[in-house]
Amino acid sequence: MRHPRFTLSSFLILTLSLLSCQAPPEAPRPNLIVIFCDDLGYGDLASFGHPTIRTPNLDRMAQEGQKWTHFYSAASVCTPSRAALLTGRLPVRNGMMSPKSRVLFPDSASGIPENEVTLAEALRAEGYATACVGKWHLGHLPQYLPTNNGFDSYFGIPYSNDMDQTRKGSTRELVKTARIEYWNVPLLRDQEVVERPADQRTITKRYSEEAVRFIRENRERPFFLYLAHSLPHVPLFASEEFLGTSKRGLYGDVVEEIDHGVGQIMQALTDLGIAERSLVVFTSDNGPWLPYKEHGGSAGLLREGKGATWEGGMREPTIFWWPGKLDSGVVMEMGATLDLFSTFCEIAGAKVPADRIMDSYDLGPVLFGTGESPRKSMFFYRESKLYAVRLDEFKAHFITKPVYTGRTEAETHHDPPLLYHLGRDPGEQYDVAHLHPDVIQSIEKLVAVHQSEMVFGEDRLAQQSPDARR
Ligand code: MG
């Protein structure tokens, strides 16, 4: 019997293959994308039950990915909601929620504290390219802008699109005949104003194009894209190709244009061959602005909307999409925008700050079908007061106040709290406090622990510039 002959070349091949077994090439780290709408209601997507708004791209995302039906923002208005998403912390901890001012304004002197670690900073430290496109609303002065908070680049309107109003009179009247010059909002590229007033008729389209450009330019390396649409916050604007095309009127035109942009992003990821290593999350910052009637959205069967701690104010239509990776279907467990911090860091191999209290859970077990959601509770703050708490299926309201209208309204304290079973009664219609004193006791214990650990951050929202005219 002849022994096989080992030549030099076969020895080299064997050695190389052994070496390659020992050190397989590292899989590229996943791309992470958040598409965050402004004032989009729980009921405003076709896949969440809207009968006259067409959202085929989001519907496909929901079909192929996960549709979350119990997913919350951490506040019912813009600034604190965004602070929570980007820091993984309740905004009362970092001063981005105030008893005096609900959001930042163009005359605000402050913004997100420097010692907060943003999700972009955490991911950039691990080599991620980072971009912020759209509404920022965490401080418009240079030191607070995205490019000083972990983002390599920024393109967008730095606060709400109804600010810098140039006409006297109520915004509710002006939005009916909206013209771009009524709101002298700036459009920034990094820190430079490149257009003022921003042409809001094409803003959604340009944000989507900017997002696709960033994806193309960074296809070879891991990236984090935070696309925060300025719309459908009032005043509503749509580009020519969408104007007048929806059965739902202008609001529907705007949502359908956002959906179109989502489709362009999904298509770009697919065309570039990177969809299988890209997680896309779609959600909204708070509920619909109901006093604006047809110009505001719908929370579907949920109670109230923007500004309120009822479900309609803070439960958001949320979709996770990651082709071939997610355990697809409808998720009825709890999650929150706060959780994107820990979830993304876990996926990216980035560090979650260990030197401060975080309010963020890794939702990986639900995404990948290995376990339950670690989030079992949710705290509902309005300004800096704790109004309501959800524990599993029950939600207790200690204080309530009608939906946000811009006027000062009285709050009502409840003792015992109002109690709703959100599984059987998602619309919060039937108070069952008298049937469940044990549940109220459990929630009160949870509140006692939460409040004993709470250290309120210095108020960042009430600080105004010396020449402020609010
Ligand atoms: Mg908003």
Side-chain angles (χ1 to χ4, degrees):
M1 188 180 163
R2 288 178 62 185
H3 292 282
R5 287 174 60 203
F6 282 94
T7 61
L8 182 61
S9 59
S10 62
F11 174 75
L12 280 173
I13 288 166
L14 181 66
T15 308
L16 282 172
S17 53
L18 279 172
L19 278 174
S20 68
C21 286
Q22 284 167 356
E26 213 177 294
R29 281 167 302 160
N31 305 310
L32 300 161
I33 300 175
V34 177
I35 305 174
F36 202 43
C37 287
D38 196 351
D39 296 4
L40 181 77
Y42 184 82
D44 284 328
L45 305 183
S47 39
F48 280 76
H50 201 285
T52 54
I53 299 179
R54 293 163 300 192
T55 50
N57 297 294
L58 287 159
D59 300 347
R60 180 160 77 83
M61 258 181 90
Q63 186 70 33
E64 294 174 359
Q66 289 184 349
K67 174 172 129 176
W68 285 62
T69 57
H70 294 248
F71 197 91
Y72 293 101
S73 63
S76 61
V77 290
C78 303
T79 297
S81 171
R82 286 147 208 275
L85 187 155
L86 285 176
T87 64
R89 281 154 55 77
L90 285 169
V92 283
R93 296 194 200 279
N94 48 39
M96 296 300 279
M97 210 162 192
S98 157
K100 294 183 186 140
S101 179
R102 302 201 74 186
V103 297
L104 290 166
F105 288 89
D107 61 11
S108 295
S110 193
I112 188 166
E114 206 208 336
N115 61 4
E116 287 295 320
V117 177
T118 69
L119 182 51
E121 285 166 341
L123 294 170
R124 187 157 76 170
E126 298 302 319
Y128 273 67
T130 56
C132 175
V133 178
K135 176 171 173 177
W136 176 240
H137 217 180
L138 296 176
H140 68 286
L141 299 176
Q143 64 269 38
Y144 305 116
L145 286 173
T147 44
N148 279 322
N149 281 286
F151 290 99
D152 301 332
S153 65
Y154 175 54
F155 178 71
I157 299 173
Y159 37 73
S160 297
N161 62 324
D162 67 338
M163 293 180 171
D164 293 322
Q165 191 170 306
T166 60
R167 291 286 192 282
K168 288 200 168 126
S170 82
T171 311
R172 277 194 229 175
E173 283 306 308
L174 287 181
V175 299
K176 292 177 188 166
T177 53
R179 297 172 65 93
I180 55 167
E181 60 269 27
Y182 291 176
W183 294 276
N184 191 33
V185 287
L187 178 67
L188 270 60
R189 163 104 26 217
D190 298 332
Q191 299 194 17
E192 300 299 318
V193 176
V194 292
E195 193 176 291
R196 190 165 196 170
D199 187 345
Q200 297 199 43
R201 294 169 298 189
T202 53
I203 203 70
T204 299
K205 179 190 186 138
R206 287 189 284 167
Y207 286 170
S208 298
E209 287 168 357
E210 182 78 10
V212 169
R213 189 178 313 123
F214 171 78
I215 290 168
R216 288 190 189 286
E217 283 171 3
N218 291 281
R219 60 185 178 274
E220 304 288 354
R221 59 181 290 201
F223 61 78
F224 169 50
L225 168 63
Y226 173 54
L227 167 56
H229 280 291
S230 291
L231 300 170
H233 189 293
V234 295
L236 302 172
F237 291 96
S239 66
E240 251 176 51
E241 51 188 303
F242 285 88
L243 201 59
T245 59
S246 158
K247 281 190 169 208
R248 170 62 174 81
L250 182 54
Y251 186 90
D253 299 344
V254 169
V255 176
E256 292 188 8
E257 185 161 17
I258 289 172
D259 176 78
H260 180 72
V262 170
Q264 290 174 316
I265 289 170
M266 292 164 78
Q267 192 61 48
L269 294 169
T270 305
D271 291 347
L272 294 167
I274 56 173
E276 283 75 20
R277 57 170 202 268
S278 300
L279 169 61
V280 184
V281 182
F282 177 93
T283 187
S284 177
D285 70 331
N286 53 251
W289 210 348
L290 298 174
Y292 281 89
K293 300 180 179 169
E294 278 188 32
H295 286 256
S298 165
L301 56 52
L302 304 181
R303 187 162 171 178
E304 297 229 1
K306 175 175 180 170
T309 44
W310 297 98
E311 290 291 290
M314 290 169 61
R315 203 193 294 196
E316 312 303 333
T318 303
I319 301 166
F320 285 70
W321 184 74
W322 189 350
K325 285 287 194 301
L326 298 188
D327 191 29
S328 64
V330 177
V331 173
M332 295 188 186
E333 294 183 67
M334 234 189 292
T337 53
L338 287 161
D339 302 330
L340 296 181
F341 198 108
S342 291
T343 306
F344 282 15
C345 285
E346 181 64 29
I347 289 170
K351 291 184 193 71
V352 175
D355 61 347
R356 61 197 73 196
I357 293 179
M358 297 295 291
D359 300 290
S360 185
Y361 294 99
D362 171 21
L363 300 176
V366 187
L367 297 181
F368 309 120
T370 58
E372 291 183 355
S373 172
R375 177 169 289 283
K376 304 296 179 197
S377 63
M378 186 70 203
F379 296 92
F380 297 76
Y381 278 86
R382 177 169 170 143
E383 286 132 11
S384 45
K385 277 189 205 167
L386 184 63
Y387 267 44
V389 176
R390 175 170 176 179
L391 177 61
D392 296 320
E393 292 298 296
F394 286 97
K395 180 174 172 187
H397 292 262
F398 297 94
I399 311 174
T400 54
K401 200 170 181 176
V403 73
Y404 182 70
T405 62
R407 293 190 300 274
T408 307
E409 283 141 337
E411 55 186 29
T412 308
H413 290 248
H414 305 277
D415 186 14
L418 305 173
L419 188 74
Y420 298 95
H421 187 291
L422 295 178
R424 295 172 194 163
D425 177 22
E428 297 174 289
Q429 297 296 313
Y430 315 115
D431 178 14
V432 290
H434 61 291
L435 297 176
H436 301 284
D438 53 324
V439 172
I440 292 175
Q441 213 173 30
S442 301
I443 292 178
E444 283 174 342
K445 271 189 200 160
L446 182 69
V447 169
V449 172
H450 176 75
Q451 291 183 327
S452 70
E453 292 171 350
M454 178 56 68
V455 178
F456 288 89
E458 184 199 1
D459 184 344
R460 312 288 289 196
L461 305 194
Q463 300 171 24
Q464 287 176 276
S465 303
D467 59 345
R469 289 173 296 145
R470 199 175 297 171

